[in-house]
Amino acid sequence: MPERFFKGIRATALAAAAGIALALAVAGADDARAEYGDVVINNFSDAAGMRPVVFPHWFHRIRFRCKVCHADLGFKFQAGGNQINMVKIIDGEFCGACHNGEIAWSVENCNLCHSAKPGTPTQVHESTVQRLVAPGGVQPAPARK
Amino acid sequence: MGRASFSVGSRVWLFALSGMLCLLWVSQVFPQERKWLPLAADGVHDPRSPALKQLQEPREALSRLAPDPHVGNQVRWVKALELGQINPRTNIFPETKVSVLDQDIIMSNTGSRPKVRFPHKQHSLWLDCAICHEQLFKSKAGGNNISMLSILEGQQCGLCHGAVAFPLTECDRCHSVPHGVPIPDAIIGK
């Protein structure tokens, strides 16, 4: 009888520990996320052997209102939908309107933008749809060719 | 004998479940203060990227702004703007016109949900009229067929809300006007 009693206690303790570990894992999984509105752009980067670009909306909206990029600079509201390449940027289009060494740091700082994990698909990170409809897997926005 | 082992087994599951429930309850009753993941652990940045030493961490910038503990960047962006905590540029080209429109639109065709109040002011603080008008939305109250289905698909309001403006799980922030209550100084749409 005592042997069975201790077996029961041990099993109970193990199960409680497993339950707590599972709850922590669920809570922890919720934490593994980039900042809301971060955009990953991987139209050309992977193919060119560069890390994909991370565009942090939060950083830019502290400094610029939406209209600066989405009206004056012509950024479409679609991750990967702008076909941005380095030639356009050096010509002063898109990111290059500010990232020219005058308003913000210049294009020779490749790594500051090209900083995502290689292979990360083009996406708006943490969008409601991504969170609710496809919580397990990222739904990348289609890159237009 | 068989009965005894069954009762041990069910007790085990009961304890496992109660352990989980206790932890979940604790996390609900004592909400954590705002936390932002470091870039190196956010799942998107390459932890081996040399940029991580130089890029600003979200915590450093966002912890100083008006709190929104549950959603998005955990920042009330409009409030941060109104309080002067941030002062984002309105234009980089000198010829760009800036116009803020202080006008509310009430949308009442919302079924059993409260009506929607659309405040032009808070939107035109950030955006230019031409971003929404006339392609996304006609400039006529009641002239647009807005539906939650298209919004959830990332169209109409969903172009920004759910991607960069507060997310679509915040129903009450838009559906904020009870039916049957007259709203002065508002334009009534569909």
Side-chain angles (χ1 to χ4, degrees):
Chain A
M1 180 63 191
E3 194 183 324
R4 188 190 287 169
F5 176 75
F6 284 122
K7 254 188 189 171
I9 291 281
R10 200 174 55 191
T12 307
L14 273 175
I20 288 169
L22 189 61
L24 285 177
V26 169
D30 197 41
D31 277 350
R33 57 192 168 90
E35 206 41 54
Y36 185 73
D38 277 2
V39 178
V40 177
I41 306 167
N42 192 0
N43 289 5
F44 312 113
S45 301
D46 265 348
M50 291 295 290
R51 293 184 176 93
V53 168
V54 182
F55 172 82
H57 258 114
W58 63 267
F59 182 93
H60 287 83
R61 71 185 297 182
I62 290 173
R63 291 154 179 83
F64 298 94
R65 303 189 194 218
C66 319
K67 64 166 88 182
V68 173
C69 300
H70 289 293
D72 292 3
L73 301 183
F75 278 93
K76 291 180 194 161
F77 291 77
Q78 191 200 11
N82 292 291
Q83 299 305 299
I84 305 166
N85 62 39
M86 289 314 298
V87 175
K88 293 179 187 171
I89 291 176
I90 291 163
D91 267 354
E93 292 180 57
F94 295 117
C95 324
C98 293
H99 285 281
N100 53 13
E102 292 174 24
I103 296 177
W105 39 264
S106 180
V107 290
E108 65 266 19
N109 298 288
C110 317
N111 284 320
L112 292 186
C113 296
H114 290 271
S115 59
K117 283 181 188 169
T120 309
T122 297
Q123 64 190 276
V124 181
H125 205 75
E126 270 297 304
S127 70
T128 307
V129 172
Q130 186 186 359
R131 199 169 169 76
L132 296 181
V133 181
V138 166
Q139 200 73 48
R144 288 183 190 155
K145 291 276 152 90
Chain B
M1 183 67 186
R3 199 173 156 188
S5 62
F6 172 76
S7 78
V8 167
S10 60
R11 204 171 49 197
V12 164
W13 283 111
L14 198 68
F15 272 84
L17 194 68
S18 52
M20 279 180 70
L21 285 177
C22 276
L23 271 181
L24 289 176
W25 178 78
V26 165
S27 68
Q28 295 296 315
V29 173
F30 304 104
Q32 298 155 343
E33 57 179 287
R34 294 189 292 172
K35 274 198 297 191
W36 292 269
L37 284 179
L39 295 178
D42 70 3
V44 165
H45 285 91
D46 185 351
R48 291 169 303 173
S49 164
L52 295 186
K53 293 191 189 103
Q54 281 173 270
L55 294 173
Q56 187 182 34
E57 292 287 343
R59 163 186 290 277
E60 192 192 330
L62 302 180
S63 59
R64 300 172 189 167
L65 306 180
D68 187 355
H70 303 299
V71 296
N73 301 114
Q74 305 172 79
V75 167
R76 286 258 182 181
W77 286 103
V78 170
K79 199 170 179 189
L81 188 62
E82 287 171 347
L83 292 174
Q85 294 174 334
I86 55 174
N87 185 21
R89 292 191 198 194
T90 53
N91 50 304
I92 53 171
F93 302 138
E95 64 273 20
T96 304
K97 285 181 190 161
V98 178
S99 52
V100 173
L101 176 64
D102 189 1
Q103 174 202 64
D104 286 356
I105 306 284
I106 303 293
M107 290 169 246
S108 47
N109 187 16
T110 52
S112 60
R113 297 292 303 157
K115 298 179 199 175
V116 169
R117 186 178 75 93
F118 171 84
H120 263 111
K121 187 182 173 189
Q122 281 80 345
H123 287 83
S124 54
L125 279 173
W126 292 99
L127 296 160
D128 192 78
C129 313
I131 290 175
C132 301
H133 300 302
E134 296 292 322
Q135 293 205 338
L136 267 180
F137 298 108
K138 290 176 195 153
S139 301
K140 183 176 185 304
N144 298 284
N145 265 326
I146 301 171
S147 80
M148 281 312 298
L149 190 65
S150 6
I151 293 172
L152 282 161
E153 282 176 344
Q155 295 160 25
Q156 300 176 327
C157 322
L159 211 56
C160 299
H161 286 284
V164 63
F166 67 73
L168 301 174
T169 42
E170 296 298 290
C171 316
D172 298 342
R173 289 205 202 173
C174 298
H175 290 272
S176 56
V177 180
H179 287 280
V181 177
I183 315 288
D185 303 328
I187 294 179
I188 308 301
K190 204 157 63 168

